[in-house]
Amino acid sequence: MSEFYKYFKENMDAPGLPAPETLFGNAQLALGAATALIGLLERFGKRVTVREMIGAGLRGEKLAVIGAMSAAYYVGAVIGSIAVATGRSLAGGTSIADVLLDAQMNHLHRPWLPGVLVRHPEIYKRRSK
């Protein structure tokens, strides 16, 4: 397991979201999966569910367990987790600014993303134990 995936999965596990290694095993796979998810969101709108995206051709059987969840929430969590994993792999903690910068640099930023991250900081903030 790569350090990137370890951090990515840990971040996705916090809010109870699946993170199949086949889709998110390293930074390149994760960026590719995020780009595909964003493409489906743009095609079907931000009110689409993960189940509807899977039915539209996304190959992610392990994502079916979160079928009724908003795809925008899940994609926001994926983008946030990419930023967290990248930040932790390279330096340490991650802020909302880090997430948005990472999304922008990787062409993943969309107008709805800041709103999702503000409403759901658990996507990118690690809970204190």
Side-chain angles (χ1 to χ4, degrees):
M1 177 184 325
S2 71
E3 285 295 301
F4 174 88
Y5 182 68
K6 174 184 160 192
Y7 295 136
F8 182 89
K9 180 158 177 40
E10 184 179 285
N11 201 69
M12 291 292 282
D13 284 347
L17 300 174
E21 191 168 4
T22 56
L23 291 176
F24 306 109
N26 60 49
Q28 291 78 19
L29 281 174
L31 288 171
T35 300
L37 290 166
I38 286 173
L40 289 168
L41 266 178
E42 288 177 340
R43 182 173 166 197
F44 296 108
K46 68 180 184 176
R47 296 195 190 279
V48 70
T49 66
V50 173
R51 183 177 318 278
E52 291 166 329
M53 285 193 344
I54 292 170
L58 178 67
R59 296 179 67 181
E61 299 79 23
K62 292 182 181 179
L63 298 180
V65 298
I66 60 167
M69 178 181 286
S70 161
Y73 178 87
Y74 186 77
V75 173
V78 167
I79 293 169
S81 295
I82 289 170
V84 167
T86 302
R88 288 185 66 199
S89 295
L90 299 175
T94 303
S95 69
I96 191 170
D98 297 325
V99 174
L100 294 172
L101 177 63
D102 195 65
Q104 187 74 34
M105 290 175 57
N106 289 291
H107 310 289
L108 300 173
H109 183 42
R110 296 300 184 270
W112 50 263
L113 183 60
V116 169
L117 295 174
V118 167
R119 283 190 305 280
H120 301 286
E122 69 274 12
I123 288 173
Y124 66 91
K125 283 188 179 177
R126 193 167 178 194
R127 292 185 193 136
S128 300
K129 292 185 180 187

